[in-house]
Amino acid sequence: MNKNKKFMLFSILAVAIVFVVVYIGVNLTSNLKGSDERITAANADEKLSELYGKIHVTKEKPIKGQIDLNPADVAEELPKIDKYPVTVPNSTESYVEIFSSPEKSGTGKDGWLNEVAKEFNASNLKVDGKTVSVKIRNIASGTAIDYIRSGKYVPDAFTPSNEFWGEMVKDSGIKTELIAKRLAGNLPGIVLSKTKHEALIKKYGAVNVKTVTEAMTNNELAMGYTDPFASSTGLNFLVTALNSFDSTHLLGDQAVKQFEDFQKNVPFIASTTLQMREATKSGLLDGFVFEYQTFVNSPDLKDRYVFTPFGARHDSPLYTLGELPEMKKKIVQAFASFAQQETYQKKAKEDGFNAINDYVSDLKPIDGATLNAAQRLWKEKKNGSKPIAAVFVADVSGSMEGTAIQRLKESLLKGQKYLGRENSIGLVTYSDDVSINLPIGIYDTNQQSKFVGAVENMQTNGGTATYDAIIVALKMLKDEKEKHPDIKPLIFVLSDGETNQGHSLDTVKGLIKAYKTPIYTIGYNANIKALESISKINEAASINADTDDVTYKIKGLFNVQL
């Protein structure tokens, strides 16, 4: 055989080998991914049974624990105030401390009040012969009133996003005086995709809270909103919706009934505005609620969405709190006047405030008692006729030994006080294998006692089979849904995020998607990114528990989801 023929044969053989290797590689990769890509709603049950059958599952005998019947102590749950940064320090001995909502005491376009405060402090302004200054602390309005009402930390003054929070502080018995109704103008709004906005205009003739809630009740719109206990915009949306149902009696039978009907079709309630923003990126929501100043400073939103104002204005009122000395009250008044100067109002406009000034709310003033009652109503009725069934999945592997497992136990023992009694709760623990410590059951006193006992008796050992435990939780929830089709299933995973046993995320990701079960994750000394990758599958939140405010964070999470 001559050299040319040998070379040709070698070339053909080489090409054939490469083809075979690539073919095998493609098919091997396809098989490895297969469970994620090929799982559908139709075959999910079959795949779940297959995966579940490969897991060693132990059913533990429930052990009752002593339950604490005392109400939750908000002051104890709150971290030290230093958790929330001082964005402008005082520059003199005579000063006032002001709690400020984040949209004006942050950075960049969210730092307007900080700039005003720095200029005020640099002005060497004198009150009663003394040079004075202000100290600004960045803290969300809902968190701020938890500090104020609990008495854990009460500043001299408070500038929330809207007047609702001032009314609620006043209702708690703390002396509250409104110094300025407006430091900088802002509005809450319904933000809808342009196509959905046009569709609602065509059908209903207008976009407002009334038409939006009607469209959601009719399952024509997928829109989310934020936690009314923490978010100014979320609270505003809640009371505006109740007002649209019955303007004569926000908490009457008619308003409550319509709220329940509307809430049945709410696909998403976010714990924070940041979580709401992340959810919009998935394209699953037609709309959400937002403040105008944030909207106008978000180029990715302005081109694709339409902003429609609703409810009470968010004009950043300024209050004094408690029995302030006359000197301090004068400093607050001087600061309000300083901020209202044309120079600073012009700067506020550049930062996105002071727009749509002709908007006037048709909401009548709402007192603090009614606002507090509206929050309680939301907590009781937010799930509509769909009770929650939640499985807690706790990591008891060897890597959780020490501080991590102690913090996990503390989180569950304190957080369980916020679990609604109408909900059903189960508990799974895992290391190398998986144990069902508590089958799903209505969270009555008996179930609560068993839950507490199971948590108290957790012990660490072995490897970490996180995804095996998630499969077991999914199986428990599937079985529960067969018995009670109306339940809303949730999973809470508490872990350090490291998996070294059992199934992988690639194996179960498609299954989690198919069942559309949100998985909230709480990380202890954790690989947070690994936990976030689980939560993002179905638009759930992830919490880093390595901070002193973990109990407060979990309270907020449970308050919204359970």
Side-chain angles (χ1 to χ4, degrees):
M1 188 178 291
N2 62 37
K3 289 184 178 180
N4 286 337
K5 287 184 177 179
K6 283 183 178 180
F7 178 76
M8 186 178 294
L9 286 171
F10 179 78
S11 299
I12 292 170
L13 182 60
V15 170
I17 291 170
V18 169
F19 175 79
V20 171
V21 168
V22 170
Y23 178 81
I24 291 172
V26 168
N27 278 277
L28 180 59
T29 302
S30 177
N31 288 335
L32 288 172
K33 290 182 178 179
S35 58
D36 182 17
E37 295 180 351
R38 291 200 291 263
I39 295 176
T40 65
N43 66 8
D45 288 355
E46 180 183 347
K47 187 64 179 178
L48 178 60
S49 295
E50 177 190 332
L51 295 177
Y52 185 86
K54 298 175 182 178
I55 301 168
H56 184 267
V57 182
T58 303
K59 296 183 179 180
E60 303 288 349
K61 184 178 179 180
I63 302 171
K64 288 190 175 183
Q66 294 293 318
I67 61 176
D68 179 5
L69 296 177
N70 294 317
D73 186 341
V74 175
E76 182 185 347
E77 293 163 357
L78 287 163
K80 292 180 181 178
I81 195 62
D82 295 343
K83 170 72 180 176
Y84 302 94
V86 171
T87 51
V88 179
N90 56 292
S91 57
T92 62
E93 290 186 3
S94 298
Y95 72 94
V96 292
E97 179 175 352
I98 303 173
F99 276 5
S100 168
S101 52
E103 77 278 2
K104 56 184 181 285
S105 58
T107 59
K109 293 288 188 179
D110 295 334
W112 171 75
L113 194 69
N114 291 342
E115 294 185 41
V116 175
K118 289 173 184 175
E119 292 285 339
F120 179 83
N121 290 354
S123 71
N124 294 317
L125 189 144
K126 290 189 176 182
V127 171
D128 293 345
K130 293 183 178 181
T131 305
V132 299
S133 61
V134 294
K135 175 181 179 179
I136 306 296
R137 192 179 297 275
N138 179 319
I139 184 168
S141 301
T143 303
I145 71 163
D146 278 346
Y147 276 96
I148 294 166
R149 293 194 296 191
S150 70
K152 182 156 187 171
Y153 194 95
V154 181
D156 303 304
F158 175 37
T159 173
S161 298
N162 62 35
E163 292 185 40
F164 290 160
W165 305 107
E167 290 298 319
M168 291 165 74
V169 170
K170 188 187 301 181
D171 184 62
S172 70
I174 294 173
K175 183 178 180 181
T176 306
E177 183 175 348
L178 181 63
I179 300 298
K181 283 185 69 68
R182 173 170 170 162
L183 293 183
N186 203 3
L187 294 169
I190 298 165
V191 179
L192 296 178
S193 66
K194 289 183 176 180
T195 53
K196 187 58 67 171
H197 184 270
E198 290 171 5
L200 291 187
I201 290 287
K202 185 176 181 180
K203 178 167 183 179
Y204 294 96
V207 171
N208 51 46
V209 170
K210 185 174 181 61
T211 59
V212 162
T213 54
E214 185 175 345
M216 291 177 71
T217 301
N218 295 334
N219 212 18
E220 301 166 347
L221 175 68
M223 194 186 96
Y225 62 96
T226 41
D227 175 11
F229 280 85
S231 162
S232 299
T233 308
L235 177 59
N236 207 335
F237 184 78
L238 170 64
V239 295
T240 306
L242 290 169
N243 182 72
S244 76
F245 300 144
D246 186 351
S247 60
T248 61
H249 192 356
L250 264 65
L251 304 174
D253 291 343
Q254 177 181 324
V256 172
K257 174 64 170 62
Q258 289 192 43
F259 174 74
E260 288 183 293
D261 291 341
F262 148 75
Q263 193 67 24
K264 289 176 188 176
N265 291 318
V266 175
F268 186 67
I269 299 172
S271 300
T272 64
T273 301
L274 179 61
Q275 187 191 354
M276 181 65 74
R277 279 297 307 272
E278 287 299 314
T280 65
K281 295 176 183 178
S282 69
L284 297 176
L285 296 178
D286 299 315
F288 48 97
V289 297
F290 234 37
E291 285 188 320
Y292 181 79
Q293 184 266 344
T294 308
F295 174 79
V296 78
N297 288 318
S298 304
D300 60 318
L301 296 179
K302 286 194 300 178
D303 296 337
R304 298 182 295 122
Y305 291 87
V306 179
F307 181 95
T308 304
F310 75 83
R313 293 187 62 94
H314 284 200
D315 286 341
S316 289
L318 178 63
Y319 302 88
T320 56
L321 300 171
E323 298 290 344
L324 276 193
E326 192 63 26
M327 170 76 165
K328 289 204 170 208
K329 185 176 176 181
K330 288 180 180 179
I331 297 173
V332 177
Q333 291 169 332
F335 180 67
S337 298
F338 189 88
Q340 290 166 338
Q341 293 179 81
E342 184 178 351
T343 299
Y344 302 113
Q345 290 302 301
K346 182 179 179 182
K347 179 64 176 69
K349 190 172 182 64
E350 292 171 0
D351 285 349
F353 295 100
N354 293 343
I356 319 181
N357 286 318
D358 58 348
Y359 172 81
V360 178
S361 172
D362 57 5
L363 265 184
K364 297 175 183 176
I366 304 174
D367 60 57
T370 302
L371 290 163
N372 283 314
Q375 284 184 326
R376 290 193 296 271
L377 169 68
W378 178 82
K379 173 67 177 171
E380 293 169 6
K381 305 291 186 180
K382 65 179 172 21
N383 295 323
S385 59
K386 288 189 173 183
I388 298 292
V391 176
F392 289 86
V393 177
D395 182 352
V396 293
S397 63
S399 60
M400 290 288 290
E401 186 174 358
T403 303
I405 193 64
Q406 291 306 318
R407 290 176 70 83
L408 186 154
K409 288 183 177 183
E410 181 183 6
S411 300
L412 288 178
L413 291 173
K414 290 184 177 179
Q416 56 88 22
K417 290 193 174 187
Y418 295 97
L419 306 182
R421 297 294 177 176
E422 72 283 1
N423 297 325
S424 296
I425 304 298
L427 176 66
V428 165
T429 58
Y430 68 94
S431 53
D432 294 310
D433 298 317
V434 182
S435 295
I436 298 175
N437 303 79
L438 185 63
I440 296 172
I442 294 291
Y443 201 65
D444 55 18
T445 303
N446 186 51
Q447 187 79 344
Q448 182 184 15
S449 177
K450 292 177 182 177
F451 184 88
V452 169
V455 172
E456 289 176 336
N457 282 280
M458 287 179 185
Q459 294 184 1
T460 56
N461 184 44
T464 312
T466 304
Y467 301 107
D468 285 8
I470 289 174
I471 290 168
V472 172
L474 285 171
K475 178 69 163 55
M476 291 168 66
L477 289 168
K478 181 190 83 73
D479 294 344
E480 186 70 12
K481 197 166 180 63
E482 288 175 354
K483 293 184 287 185
H484 306 287
D486 290 336
I487 65 164
K488 178 182 175 182
L490 297 176
I491 295 174
F492 294 87
V493 174
L494 300 91
S495 172
D496 61 9
E498 299 294 346
T499 299
N500 54 29
Q501 299 279 340
H503 293 96
S504 67
L505 178 58
D506 285 341
T507 306
V508 302
K509 187 174 182 180
L511 200 61
I512 295 168
K513 282 182 179 178
Y515 281 112
K516 300 179 180 179
T517 301
I519 301 179
Y520 295 85
T521 55
I522 303 168
Y524 302 82
N525 298 336
N527 179 342
I528 296 299
K529 289 192 178 298
L531 293 176
E532 287 177 345
S533 67
I534 300 171
S535 292
K536 285 180 179 179
I537 296 171
N538 287 319
E539 307 300 339
S542 184
I543 290 176
N544 185 350
D546 296 337
T547 57
D548 61 356
D549 63 342
V550 59
T551 302
Y552 187 70
K553 285 179 179 177
I554 289 174
K555 166 208 166 185
L557 176 63
F558 290 178
N559 203 43
V560 173
Q561 304 303 336
L562 292 168

